[in-house]
Coordinates of all heavy atoms in Angstrom, one line a residue:
M211 N 11.9 -18.4 -76.2 CA 11.9 -17.1 -75.6 C 12.9 -16.2 -76.2 O 14.1 -16.6 -76.5 CB 12.2 -17.3 -74.1 CG 12.4 -16.0 -73.3 SD 12.8 -16.3 -71.6 CE 11.5 -15.4 -70.8
E212 N 12.5 -15.0 -76.6 CA 13.4 -14.1 -77.3 C 14.1 -13.2 -76.2 O 13.5 -12.8 -75.2 CB 12.7 -13.2 -78.2 CG 12.1 -14.0 -79.4 CD 11.3 -13.1 -80.3 OE1 11.7 -12.0 -80.5 OE2 10.4 -13.6 -80.9
S213 N 15.3 -12.8 -76.5 CA 16.0 -11.9 -75.6 C 15.7 -10.5 -75.9 O 15.4 -10.2 -77.1 CB 17.5 -12.1 -75.7 OG 18.0 -11.8 -76.9
I214 N 15.7 -9.6 -75.0 CA 15.4 -8.2 -75.2 C 16.7 -7.5 -75.2 O 17.4 -7.5 -74.2 CB 14.5 -7.7 -74.1 CG1 13.2 -8.4 -74.0 CG2 14.2 -6.2 -74.3 CD1 12.3 -8.1 -72.9
V215 N 17.0 -6.9 -76.3 CA 18.3 -6.2 -76.4 C 18.0 -4.8 -76.9 O 17.1 -4.5 -77.8 CB 19.2 -6.9 -77.5 CG1 20.5 -6.2 -77.6 CG2 19.4 -8.3 -77.0
A216 N 18.7 -3.8 -76.4 CA 18.5 -2.4 -76.8 C 19.1 -2.3 -78.2 O 20.1 -2.7 -78.6 CB 19.3 -1.5 -75.9
L217 N 18.3 -1.6 -79.1 CA 18.6 -1.5 -80.4 C 19.4 -0.1 -80.7 O 19.9 0.1 -81.7 CB 17.4 -1.5 -81.3 CG 16.6 -2.9 -81.3 CD1 15.4 -2.8 -82.1 CD2 17.5 -4.0 -81.7
Q218 N 19.3 0.7 -79.7 CA 20.0 2.0 -79.8 C 21.3 2.0 -79.1 O 21.6 1.2 -78.2 CB 19.1 3.1 -79.3 CG 17.8 3.2 -80.0 CD 16.9 4.2 -79.4 OE1 17.2 4.8 -78.3 NE2 15.8 4.5 -80.1
K219 N 22.1 3.0 -79.4 CA 23.4 3.2 -78.6 C 23.1 3.6 -77.2 O 22.0 4.3 -77.0 CB 24.3 4.2 -79.3 CG 24.8 3.7 -80.7 CD 25.8 4.7 -81.2 CE 26.3 4.2 -82.6 NZ 27.2 5.2 -83.2
R220 N 24.0 3.4 -76.3 CA 23.8 3.9 -75.0 C 23.8 5.4 -74.9 O 24.5 6.0 -75.7 CB 24.9 3.3 -74.1 CG 24.7 1.9 -73.7 CD 25.8 1.5 -72.7 NE 26.8 0.8 -73.5 CZ 28.0 0.4 -72.9 NH1 28.2 0.6 -71.7 NH2 28.9 -0.2 -73.6
V221 N 23.0 5.9 -74.0 CA 23.0 7.4 -73.9 C 24.3 7.9 -73.4 O 24.9 8.9 -73.9 CB 21.8 7.8 -72.9 CG1 21.8 9.3 -72.7 CG2 20.5 7.3 -73.5
T222 N 24.9 7.3 -72.4 CA 26.2 7.7 -71.8 C 27.2 6.6 -72.2 O 27.1 5.5 -71.7 CB 26.1 7.8 -70.3 OG1 25.1 8.6 -69.9 CG2 27.4 8.3 -69.8
P223 N 28.1 6.9 -73.1 CA 29.0 5.9 -73.5 C 30.0 5.6 -72.4 O 30.3 6.5 -71.6 CB 29.8 6.6 -74.7 CG 29.6 8.1 -74.5 CD 28.3 8.2 -73.8
W224 N 30.4 4.4 -72.3 CA 31.3 3.9 -71.3 C 32.7 4.4 -71.6 O 33.2 4.3 -72.7 CB 31.3 2.4 -71.1 CG 32.1 1.9 -70.0 CD1 33.4 1.4 -70.1 CD2 31.8 1.9 -68.7 NE1 33.9 1.1 -68.9 CE2 32.9 1.4 -68.0 CE3 30.7 2.3 -67.9 CZ2 32.9 1.2 -66.6 CZ3 30.7 2.1 -66.6 CH2 31.8 1.6 -65.9
S225 N 33.3 4.9 -70.6 CA 34.7 5.4 -70.8 C 35.5 5.0 -69.6 O 35.0 4.7 -68.5 CB 34.8 6.9 -71.0 OG 34.5 7.6 -69.8
D226 N 36.8 4.9 -69.7 CA 37.7 4.6 -68.6 C 37.8 5.7 -67.6 O 38.3 5.5 -66.5 CB 39.1 4.2 -69.2 CG 39.1 2.9 -70.0 OD1 38.2 2.1 -69.7 OD2 39.9 2.8 -70.9
G227 N 37.3 6.9 -67.9 CA 37.4 8.0 -67.0 C 36.4 8.0 -65.9 O 36.3 8.9 -65.1
L228 N 35.5 7.0 -65.9 CA 34.5 6.9 -64.8 C 35.1 6.4 -63.5 O 34.4 6.6 -62.5 CB 33.4 6.0 -65.3 CG 32.5 6.5 -66.4 CD1 31.5 5.5 -66.8 CD2 31.9 7.8 -66.1
E229 N 36.2 5.8 -63.5 CA 36.8 5.3 -62.2 C 37.5 6.5 -61.6 O 38.1 7.3 -62.2 CB 37.8 4.2 -62.5 CG 37.1 2.9 -63.1 CD 36.2 2.3 -62.1 OE1 36.5 2.2 -60.9 OE2 35.1 1.8 -62.5
P230 N 37.5 6.5 -60.2 CA 38.3 7.6 -59.5 C 39.8 7.4 -59.8 O 40.3 6.3 -59.8 CB 37.9 7.4 -58.1 CG 37.4 6.0 -57.9 CD 36.8 5.6 -59.3
S231 N 40.4 8.6 -59.8 CA 41.9 8.5 -60.0 C 42.5 8.2 -58.7 O 41.9 8.2 -57.7 CB 42.3 9.9 -60.6 OG 42.2 10.9 -59.5
D232 N 43.8 7.9 -58.8 CA 44.6 7.7 -57.6 C 44.6 8.8 -56.7 O 44.5 8.7 -55.4 CB 46.1 7.3 -58.0 CG 46.1 5.9 -58.6 OD1 45.2 5.1 -58.5 OD2 47.2 5.7 -59.3
A233 N 44.7 10.0 -57.2 CA 44.6 11.2 -56.4 C 43.3 11.4 -55.6 O 43.3 11.7 -54.4 CB 44.9 12.5 -57.2
E234 N 42.2 11.0 -56.3 CA 40.9 11.1 -55.7 C 40.8 10.0 -54.6 O 40.2 10.3 -53.5 CB 39.8 10.9 -56.7 CG 39.7 12.1 -57.6 CD 38.8 11.8 -58.8 OE1 38.6 10.7 -59.2 OE2 38.2 12.8 -59.3
L235 N 41.3 8.9 -54.8 CA 41.2 7.8 -53.8 C 42.1 8.2 -52.6 O 41.7 7.9 -51.5 CB 41.7 6.5 -54.4 CG 40.8 5.8 -55.5 CD1 41.4 4.6 -56.1 CD2 39.4 5.5 -54.8
N236 N 43.2 8.8 -52.9 CA 44.1 9.2 -51.7 C 43.4 10.3 -50.9 O 43.5 10.3 -49.7 CB 45.4 9.7 -52.3 CG 46.3 8.6 -52.8 OD1 46.1 7.4 -52.4 ND2 47.2 8.9 -53.7
A237 N 42.7 11.2 -51.6 CA 42.0 12.2 -50.9 C 40.9 11.6 -50.0 O 40.7 12.1 -48.8 CB 41.4 13.3 -51.8
I238 N 40.2 10.7 -50.5 CA 39.1 10.0 -49.8 C 39.7 9.3 -48.6 O 39.2 9.3 -47.5 CB 38.3 9.0 -50.7 CG1 37.5 9.8 -51.7 CG2 37.4 8.1 -49.8 CD1 36.9 8.9 -52.8
E239 N 40.8 8.6 -48.8 CA 41.5 7.9 -47.7 C 42.0 8.9 -46.6 O 41.8 8.6 -45.4 CB 42.7 7.1 -48.2 CG 43.3 6.2 -47.2 CD 44.4 5.3 -47.8 OE1 44.4 5.1 -49.0 OE2 45.3 4.9 -47.0
A240 N 42.4 10.0 -47.0 CA 42.9 11.0 -46.0 C 41.7 11.6 -45.2 O 41.9 11.9 -44.0 CB 43.6 12.1 -46.7
E241 N 40.5 11.6 -45.8 CA 39.3 12.2 -45.2 C 38.6 11.1 -44.4 O 37.6 11.4 -43.8 CB 38.4 12.9 -46.2 CG 39.0 14.1 -46.8 CD 38.1 14.7 -47.8 OE1 37.0 14.3 -48.0 OE2 38.6 15.7 -48.5
M242 N 39.0 9.8 -44.5 CA 38.2 8.7 -43.9 C 38.0 8.9 -42.4 O 36.9 8.6 -41.9 CB 38.9 7.4 -44.2 CG 37.9 6.3 -44.0 SD 36.3 6.6 -44.8 CE 36.3 5.3 -46.0
P243 N 39.0 9.4 -41.6 CA 38.7 9.6 -40.2 C 37.5 10.6 -39.9 O 36.7 10.4 -39.0 CB 40.0 10.1 -39.6 CG 41.0 9.6 -40.5 CD 40.4 9.6 -41.9
V244 N 37.5 11.6 -40.7 CA 36.4 12.6 -40.6 C 35.1 12.0 -41.0 O 34.1 12.1 -40.3 CB 36.7 13.9 -41.5 CG1 35.5 14.8 -41.4 CG2 37.9 14.6 -41.0
I245 N 35.1 11.2 -42.1 CA 33.8 10.6 -42.5 C 33.3 9.6 -41.5 O 32.1 9.6 -41.2 CB 34.1 9.8 -43.9 CG1 34.4 10.9 -45.0 CG2 32.9 9.0 -44.3 CD1 34.9 10.3 -46.3
S246 N 34.2 8.8 -40.9 CA 33.8 7.8 -39.9 C 33.3 8.5 -38.6 O 32.3 8.1 -38.0 CB 35.0 7.0 -39.5 OG 35.5 6.2 -40.6
A247 N 33.9 9.6 -38.2 CA 33.4 10.4 -37.1 C 32.1 11.0 -37.3 O 31.2 11.0 -36.5 CB 34.4 11.5 -36.7
E248 N 31.8 11.5 -38.6 CA 30.5 12.0 -38.9 C 29.5 10.9 -38.9 O 28.3 11.2 -38.4 CB 30.6 12.7 -40.3 CG 31.3 14.0 -40.3 CD 31.5 14.6 -41.7 OE1 31.3 13.9 -42.7 OE2 31.7 15.8 -41.8
V249 N 29.8 9.8 -39.4 CA 28.8 8.7 -39.4 C 28.5 8.3 -37.9 O 27.4 8.0 -37.6 CB 29.4 7.4 -40.1 CG1 28.6 6.2 -39.9 CG2 29.4 7.8 -41.6
E250 N 29.5 8.2 -37.1 CA 29.3 7.9 -35.6 C 28.4 8.9 -35.0 O 27.5 8.5 -34.3 CB 30.7 7.9 -34.9 CG 30.5 7.5 -33.4 CD 31.8 7.5 -32.7 OE1 32.9 7.6 -33.4 OE2 31.8 7.5 -31.5
L251 N 28.6 10.2 -35.2 CA 27.7 11.2 -34.6 C 26.3 11.1 -35.2 O 25.3 11.2 -34.4 CB 28.3 12.6 -34.9 CG 27.5 13.8 -34.4 CD1 27.3 13.7 -32.9 CD2 28.1 15.1 -34.8
L252 N 26.2 10.8 -36.5 CA 24.9 10.6 -37.0 C 24.2 9.4 -36.4 O 23.0 9.4 -36.1 CB 25.0 10.4 -38.6 CG 23.7 10.3 -39.3 CD1 22.9 11.6 -39.2 CD2 24.0 10.1 -40.8
D253 N 24.9 8.3 -36.2 CA 24.3 7.1 -35.6 C 23.8 7.5 -34.2 O 22.7 7.0 -33.8 CB 25.4 6.0 -35.5 CG 25.6 5.3 -36.8 OD1 24.8 5.5 -37.7 OD2 26.7 4.7 -36.9
V254 N 24.5 8.2 -33.4 CA 24.1 8.6 -32.1 C 22.8 9.5 -32.2 O 21.9 9.2 -31.4 CB 25.2 9.4 -31.3 CG1 24.7 10.0 -30.0 CG2 26.4 8.5 -31.1
R255 N 22.8 10.4 -33.1 CA 21.6 11.3 -33.2 C 20.4 10.5 -33.6 O 19.3 10.7 -33.2 CB 21.9 12.4 -34.2 CG 22.8 13.4 -33.6 CD 23.1 14.5 -34.6 NE 23.9 15.6 -34.1 CZ 24.4 16.6 -34.8 NH1 24.1 16.6 -36.1 NH2 25.1 17.5 -34.2
I256 N 20.6 9.5 -34.5 CA 19.5 8.7 -35.0 C 19.0 7.8 -33.8 O 17.7 7.7 -33.7 CB 19.9 7.8 -36.2 CG1 20.1 8.7 -37.4 CG2 18.9 6.7 -36.5 CD1 20.7 7.9 -38.6
A257 N 19.9 7.3 -33.0 CA 19.4 6.4 -31.9 C 18.6 7.2 -30.9 O 17.8 6.7 -30.2 CB 20.7 5.9 -31.2
L258 N 18.8 8.5 -30.8 CA 18.1 9.3 -29.9 C 16.9 10.0 -30.4 O 16.3 10.9 -29.7 CB 19.1 10.4 -29.3 CG 20.3 9.8 -28.6 CD1 21.2 10.9 -28.2 CD2 19.9 9.0 -27.4
L259 N 16.5 9.7 -31.6 CA 15.3 10.4 -32.2 C 14.0 10.1 -31.5 O 13.1 10.9 -31.3 CB 15.2 10.0 -33.7 CG 16.1 10.7 -34.6 CD1 15.9 10.2 -36.0 CD2 15.9 12.2 -34.6
D260 N 13.8 8.9 -31.0 CA 12.5 8.5 -30.5 C 12.5 8.2 -29.0 O 11.7 7.4 -28.5 CB 12.1 7.2 -31.3 CG 13.0 6.1 -31.1 OD1 14.1 6.2 -30.6 OD2 12.6 4.9 -31.5
R261 N 13.5 8.7 -28.3 CA 13.5 8.5 -26.8 C 14.1 9.8 -26.2 O 14.8 10.5 -26.8 CB 14.3 7.3 -26.5 CG 15.8 7.4 -26.8 CD 16.5 6.2 -26.3 NE 17.9 6.4 -26.5 CZ 18.8 5.4 -26.5 NH1 18.4 4.2 -26.3 NH2 20.1 5.7 -26.6
P262 N 13.8 10.0 -24.9 CA 14.4 11.1 -24.2 C 15.9 10.9 -24.0 O 16.3 9.7 -23.8 CB 13.6 11.1 -22.8 CG 12.9 9.8 -22.8 CD 12.8 9.2 -24.1
V263 N 16.6 12.0 -23.9 CA 18.0 11.9 -23.8 C 18.4 11.8 -22.3 O 18.0 12.6 -21.5 CB 18.7 13.2 -24.4 CG1 20.2 13.1 -24.2 CG2 18.3 13.3 -25.8
S264 N 19.2 10.7 -22.0 CA 19.7 10.5 -20.6 C 21.1 11.1 -20.5 O 21.7 11.6 -21.5 CB 19.7 9.0 -20.3 OG 20.7 8.4 -21.1
E265 N 21.6 11.0 -19.3 CA 22.9 11.6 -19.1 C 24.0 10.8 -19.9 O 24.9 11.3 -20.4 CB 23.3 11.5 -17.6 CG 24.6 12.1 -17.2 CD 24.9 12.0 -15.7 OE1 24.0 11.9 -14.9 OE2 26.1 12.1 -15.4
L266 N 23.8 9.5 -19.9 CA 24.7 8.6 -20.7 C 24.6 9.0 -22.2 O 25.7 9.1 -22.9 CB 24.3 7.2 -20.6 CG 25.2 6.2 -21.3 CD1 26.7 6.2 -20.8 CD2 24.7 4.8 -21.1
D267 N 23.4 9.3 -22.7 CA 23.3 9.7 -24.1 C 24.0 11.0 -24.4 O 24.6 11.2 -25.4 CB 21.8 9.8 -24.5 CG 21.1 8.4 -24.4 OD1 21.8 7.4 -24.7 OD2 19.9 8.4 -24.1
E268 N 23.9 12.0 -23.4 CA 24.6 13.2 -23.6 C 26.1 13.0 -23.7 O 26.8 13.7 -24.4 CB 24.2 14.2 -22.4 CG 22.8 14.7 -22.4 CD 22.5 15.5 -21.2 OE1 23.3 15.7 -20.3 OE2 21.3 16.0 -21.2
R269 N 26.6 12.1 -22.9 CA 28.0 11.8 -23.0 C 28.4 11.2 -24.3 O 29.4 11.6 -24.9 CB 28.4 10.8 -21.9 CG 28.4 11.3 -20.5 CD 28.8 10.3 -19.5 NE 28.5 10.7 -18.1 CZ 28.7 9.9 -17.1 NH1 29.0 8.6 -17.3 NH2 28.4 10.3 -15.9
R270 N 27.5 10.3 -24.8 CA 27.8 9.8 -26.2 C 27.8 10.9 -27.2 O 28.7 10.8 -28.1 CB 26.7 8.7 -26.5 CG 26.8 7.5 -25.7 CD 25.7 6.5 -26.1 NE 25.8 6.1 -27.5 CZ 24.8 5.7 -28.3 NH1 23.6 5.5 -27.8 NH2 25.0 5.3 -29.5
I271 N 26.9 11.8 -27.2 CA 26.9 12.9 -28.1 C 28.1 13.7 -28.0 O 28.8 14.1 -29.0 CB 25.6 13.8 -27.9 CG1 24.4 13.0 -28.3 CG2 25.7 15.1 -28.7 CD1 23.1 13.7 -28.0
R272 N 28.5 14.1 -26.8 CA 29.7 14.9 -26.6 C 30.9 14.2 -27.1 O 31.8 14.8 -27.7 CB 29.9 15.3 -25.1 CG 29.0 16.4 -24.7 CD 29.4 17.0 -23.3 NE 29.5 16.0 -22.3 CZ 28.6 15.7 -21.4 NH1 27.4 16.2 -21.4 NH2 28.8 14.8 -20.5
R273 N 31.0 12.9 -26.8 CA 32.2 12.1 -27.2 C 32.3 12.1 -28.7 O 33.3 12.2 -29.3 CB 32.1 10.7 -26.6 CG 33.3 9.9 -26.8 CD 33.3 8.5 -26.2 NE 32.6 8.5 -24.9 CZ 31.5 7.8 -24.6 NH1 30.9 7.0 -25.5 NH2 31.0 7.8 -23.4
A274 N 31.1 11.9 -29.4 CA 31.1 11.8 -30.9 C 31.5 13.2 -31.5 O 32.2 13.2 -32.4 CB 29.7 11.3 -31.3
R275 N 31.0 14.2 -30.9 CA 31.3 15.6 -31.4 C 32.8 15.9 -31.2 O 33.5 16.4 -32.1 CB 30.5 16.6 -30.6 CG 29.1 16.7 -31.1 CD 28.4 17.8 -30.3 NE 27.0 17.9 -30.7 CZ 26.0 18.4 -30.0 NH1 26.3 18.9 -28.8 NH2 24.8 18.4 -30.4
R276 N 33.4 15.5 -30.0 CA 34.8 15.7 -29.8 C 35.6 14.9 -30.8 O 36.7 15.4 -31.3 CB 35.2 15.3 -28.4 CG 34.8 16.3 -27.4 CD 35.5 16.1 -26.0 NE 35.3 14.7 -25.5 CZ 34.4 14.4 -24.6 NH1 33.6 15.3 -24.1 NH2 34.2 13.1 -24.2
R277 N 35.2 13.6 -31.1 CA 36.0 12.8 -32.1 C 35.9 13.5 -33.5 O 36.9 13.5 -34.2 CB 35.4 11.4 -32.1 CG 35.8 10.6 -31.0 CD 35.3 9.2 -31.1 NE 35.6 8.4 -29.9 CZ 34.9 7.4 -29.5 NH1 33.8 7.0 -30.2 NH2 35.2 6.8 -28.4
L278 N 34.7 14.0 -33.8 CA 34.6 14.7 -35.1 C 35.5 15.9 -35.2 O 36.2 16.2 -36.2 CB 33.1 15.1 -35.4 CG 32.9 15.8 -36.7 CD1 33.3 15.0 -37.9 CD2 31.4 16.1 -36.8
L279 N 35.5 16.7 -34.1 CA 36.3 17.9 -34.1 C 37.8 17.6 -34.2 O 38.6 18.2 -34.9 CB 36.0 18.8 -32.9 CG 34.6 19.5 -32.9 CD1 34.4 20.1 -31.5 CD2 34.6 20.5 -34.0
A280 N 38.2 16.5 -33.4 CA 39.6 16.1 -33.5 C 40.0 15.6 -34.8 O 41.1 15.9 -35.3 CB 39.8 15.0 -32.4
A281 N 39.1 14.9 -35.5 CA 39.4 14.4 -36.8 C 39.5 15.5 -37.8 O 40.4 15.5 -38.7 CB 38.3 13.4 -37.3
R282 N 38.6 16.5 -37.7 CA 38.7 17.7 -38.6 C 40.0 18.5 -38.4 O 40.6 19.0 -39.3 CB 37.5 18.6 -38.4 CG 36.2 18.0 -39.0 CD 35.0 18.9 -38.8 NE 33.8 18.4 -39.4 CZ 32.6 18.9 -39.2 NH1 32.5 19.9 -38.4 NH2 31.6 18.3 -39.7
R283 N 40.3 18.6 -37.1 CA 41.6 19.4 -36.7 C 42.8 18.7 -37.3 O 43.6 19.3 -37.9 CB 41.7 19.5 -35.2 CG 42.9 20.2 -34.7 CD 43.2 19.9 -33.3 NE 43.5 18.4 -33.1 CZ 43.1 17.7 -32.0 NH1 42.4 18.3 -31.1 NH2 43.4 16.4 -32.0
D284 N 42.8 17.3 -37.1 CA 44.0 16.6 -37.6 C 44.1 16.7 -39.2 O 45.2 16.8 -39.7 CB 43.9 15.1 -37.2 CG 44.0 14.9 -35.7 OD1 44.5 15.9 -35.0 OD2 43.6 13.9 -35.2
L285 N 42.9 16.6 -39.8 CA 42.9 16.7 -41.3 C 43.4 18.1 -41.7 O 44.2 18.2 -42.6 CB 41.5 16.4 -41.9 CG 41.4 16.5 -43.4 CD1 42.3 15.5 -44.1 CD2 40.0 16.3 -43.8
A286 N 42.9 19.1 -41.0 CA 43.3 20.5 -41.4 C 44.8 20.7 -41.1 O 45.5 21.3 -41.9 CB 42.5 21.5 -40.6
A287 N 45.3 20.1 -40.1 CA 46.7 20.2 -39.8 C 47.6 19.5 -40.8 O 48.6 20.0 -41.3 CB 47.0 19.7 -38.4
K288 N 47.1 18.3 -41.3 CA 47.8 17.5 -42.3 C 47.8 18.3 -43.6 O 48.8 18.3 -44.3 CB 47.1 16.2 -42.5 CG 47.9 15.2 -43.3 CD 47.1 13.9 -43.6 CE 46.8 13.2 -42.3 NZ 46.2 11.9 -42.6
V289 N 46.7 18.9 -44.0 CA 46.6 19.6 -45.2 C 47.5 20.9 -45.2 O 48.2 21.2 -46.1 CB 45.1 20.0 -45.5 CG1 45.1 21.0 -46.7 CG2 44.3 18.8 -45.9
T290 N 47.5 21.5 -44.0 CA 48.3 22.7 -43.9 C 49.8 22.4 -43.9 O 50.6 23.1 -44.6 CB 48.0 23.4 -42.5 OG1 46.6 23.7 -42.5 CG2 48.8 24.7 -42.4
T291 N 50.2 21.4 -43.3 CA 51.7 21.0 -43.3 C 52.1 20.4 -44.6 O 53.2 20.6 -45.0 CB 52.0 20.0 -42.2 OG1 51.2 18.9 -42.3 CG2 51.8 20.6 -40.8
S292 N 51.2 19.8 -45.3 CA 51.5 19.3 -46.6 C 51.6 20.4 -47.7 O 52.4 20.2 -48.7 CB 50.6 18.2 -47.1 OG 49.3 18.7 -47.3
S293 N 50.8 21.4 -47.5 CA 50.9 22.5 -48.5 C 52.0 23.5 -48.2 O 52.5 24.2 -49.1 CB 49.6 23.3 -48.6 OG 49.3 23.9 -47.3
H294 N 52.5 23.5 -46.9 CA 53.6 24.3 -46.5 C 54.6 23.5 -45.8 O 54.7 23.6 -44.5 CB 53.2 25.5 -45.7 CG 52.2 26.4 -46.3 ND1 52.5 27.2 -47.3 CD2 50.9 26.6 -46.1 CE1 51.5 27.9 -47.7 NE2 50.4 27.5 -47.0
P295 N 55.4 22.7 -46.4 CA 56.3 21.8 -45.7 C 57.4 22.5 -44.9 O 57.9 21.9 -43.9 CB 56.9 20.9 -46.8 CG 56.7 21.6 -48.1 CD 55.5 22.5 -47.9
E296 N 57.8 23.7 -45.3 CA 58.8 24.4 -44.6 C 58.4 24.8 -43.2 O 59.2 25.0 -42.4 CB 59.4 25.5 -45.4 CG 58.4 26.7 -45.6 CD 57.4 26.5 -46.8 OE1 57.5 25.4 -47.5 OE2 56.5 27.3 -46.9
V297 N 57.1 25.0 -43.0 CA 56.6 25.5 -41.8 C 56.7 24.4 -40.7 O 57.1 24.6 -39.6 CB 55.1 25.9 -41.9 CG1 54.5 26.3 -40.5 CG2 55.0 27.1 -42.8
G298 N 56.3 23.1 -41.1 CA 56.4 22.0 -40.2 C 57.8 21.5 -39.9 O 58.0 20.8 -39.0
A299 N 58.7 21.9 -40.7 CA 60.1 21.3 -40.6 C 60.9 22.0 -39.5 O 60.6 23.0 -39.0 CB 60.8 21.4 -41.9

């Protein structure tokens, strides 16, 4: 059995710059509560696609929306205080 090997160079050369930088990873980590809240809200909406919405389901939706808004508020406050440290001090 013969092996199949590409005879041409790769179209996109591999470089070390493909990995996220530390700053990008820190930004993702800072946004993780917002991302988690968005996923939670999406899960609730998906669960309600094929059934009528009950009172309990409405509570789940409101709770997920409040968590998302709180996470966005906290992130915005963190970004604002980090860009203007003298204001928060």
Side-chain angles (χ1 to χ4, degrees):
M211 176 181 235
E212 295 181 32
S213 63
I214 301 173
V215 179
L217 300 177
Q218 300 174 352
K219 294 182 179 180
R220 286 187 260 175
V221 175
T222 305
W224 184 261
S225 71
D226 293 333
L228 294 178
E229 295 294 322
S231 68
D232 288 339
E234 291 169 332
L235 290 174
N236 290 337
I238 293 170
E239 186 175 341
E241 293 178 7
M242 196 50 114
V244 173
I245 295 167
S246 298
E248 287 175 341
V249 168
E250 181 182 348
L251 180 58
L252 184 61
D253 286 343
V254 172
R255 288 181 175 170
I256 289 171
L258 299 176
L259 282 176
D260 60 349
R261 66 178 188 197
V263 178
S264 68
E265 183 178 337
L266 181 62
D267 294 330
E268 289 176 0
R269 289 181 191 172
R270 289 179 63 202
I271 291 172
R272 283 195 306 266
R273 190 178 319 122
R275 285 180 181 159
R276 283 194 307 263
R277 286 183 184 154
L278 178 57
L279 289 173
R282 287 179 178 169
R283 178 197 63 217
D284 294 343
L285 180 62
K288 188 185 301 185
V289 168
T290 302
T291 57
S292 67
S293 63
H294 300 291
E296 66 278 356
V297 173

